[in-house]
Amino acid sequence: MSARRALIAGNWKMNGLRADGLDLARALAAWLDGEGSEAAARLDMLVCPPATLVAPVASVIAGTRLTVGGQDCHAQEKGAHTGDVSAWMLKDLGCGHVIVGHSERRTDHGETDETVRAKAAAALAASLVPIICIGETEAERDAGQALAVVSRQFNGSLPEGATGTNVVIAYEPVWAIGTGRTPTTEDVAEMHQRIRADARACLGDGADALRVLYGGSVKPGNAAELMGIADVDGALVGGASLKAADFQAIASACP
Ligand code: PGA
């Protein structure tokens, strides 16, 4: 960890009806102002609820230290795209961030680096910070291609106009998402070093400010180890972000 301020982001995925989502958001916001105020002094906490809950969550956390973001956005500002949500719409609801290129979107919706780059560009144009997800599959890791794949995704997904502070990268090995498996600390360190080096090649010294999160089965029990790795600047958390106590424990474990 460095001078960069950590970001602990919760990706609720397709989970949460109104009552549960609002209870969770209220609990986290109250924690940041109370027992979690020490954590709040050193890190940012973000929740990314399903699109249906962005507006109600934004209204219950208004004026607190908790922030809200989207899980995906369309590359266009508006138009004939049934079922999609634009970055501008998320901004309008009070979002500051939007996840783009999550592996579930890349797999379920056939998103390519090009799609992800266009979505990230839309986020920047709407004054949102895109959290750009990259990560290798298990087959790619087994074939010794993890570094090459992640470099290719990084370079292919980073939008024009990106700086060290207007985008966030999330390294999420696909095989670690929702599986309870995590890479070794050495592997995480190696991947994050590579991403930082790739960022330096595109952004120059701006790369020093870039936040690179780790994601994939981050839990209270492994958070201290994962978050303590050099060049890891926080976490993108799925399953464990759905329980206030677990998400708070992860934040508390983050240096
Ligand atoms: P997980 O998901 O924490 O449940 O593994 C992480 C993610 O998909 O962002």
Side-chain angles (χ1 to χ4, degrees):
M1 196 65 63
S2 65
R4 292 180 294 274
R5 191 174 160 83
L7 172 64
I8 301 293
N11 173 10
W12 294 2
K13 309 193 180 183
M14 197 172 71
N15 294 293
L17 299 179
R18 221 175 147 82
D20 297 334
L22 294 187
D23 280 354
L24 177 53
R26 275 194 204 98
L28 294 171
W31 182 78
L32 287 171
D33 268 339
E35 230 181 294
S37 57
E38 253 178 67
R42 65 173 189 276
L43 55 80
D44 298 324
M45 186 182 268
L46 167 73
V47 291
C48 299
T52 50
L53 292 184
V54 169
V57 165
S59 71
V60 303
I61 65 167
T64 74
R65 298 199 234 194
L66 188 64
T67 56
V68 66
Q71 296 179 10
D72 174 54
C73 65
H74 196 275
Q76 303 293 317
E77 183 173 356
K78 59 185 174 183
H81 302 289
T82 304
D84 280 314
V85 170
S86 82
W88 286 262
M89 292 168 176
L90 294 171
K91 178 74 183 174
D92 187 42
L93 296 182
C95 288
H97 293 76
V98 60
I99 299 168
V100 293
H102 189 279
S103 72
E104 287 150 18
R105 302 276 329 167
R106 290 180 187 258
T107 304
D108 297 353
H109 300 269
E111 293 189 6
T112 62
D113 289 342
E114 208 175 22
T115 323
V116 176
R117 170 184 265 172
K119 290 182 173 203
L124 287 183
S127 303
L128 290 179
V129 172
I131 300 176
I132 303 168
C133 302
I134 55 180
E136 82 285 357
T137 63
E138 185 157 36
E140 287 163 344
R141 175 157 287 273
D142 289 347
Q145 295 167 352
L147 285 166
V149 166
V150 164
S151 265
R152 192 191 67 223
Q153 290 182 339
F154 175 85
N155 287 303
S157 307
L158 196 72
E160 217 166 291
T163 67
T165 52
N166 69 6
V167 304
V168 170
I169 302 297
Y171 167 59
E172 297 204 305
V174 178
W175 52 274
I177 295 176
T179 59
R181 296 164 59 206
T182 51
T184 62
T185 52
E186 291 76 20
D187 285 342
V188 173
E190 182 182 43
M191 301 307 290
H192 280 245
Q193 270 162 28
R194 168 61 75 96
I195 294 166
R196 183 85 49 204
D198 286 343
R200 192 166 303 285
C202 317
L203 308 174
D205 289 345
D208 290 338
L210 181 69
R211 297 199 275 195
V212 183
L213 314 184
Y214 168 78
S217 296
V218 178
K219 308 283 178 212
N222 61 21
E225 186 180 353
L226 289 164
M227 298 300 104
I229 300 170
D231 279 311
V232 172
D233 307 309
L236 180 55
V237 185
S241 73
L242 295 172
K243 285 197 186 133
D246 286 357
F247 197 48
Q248 290 158 9
I250 290 168
S252 295
C254 188

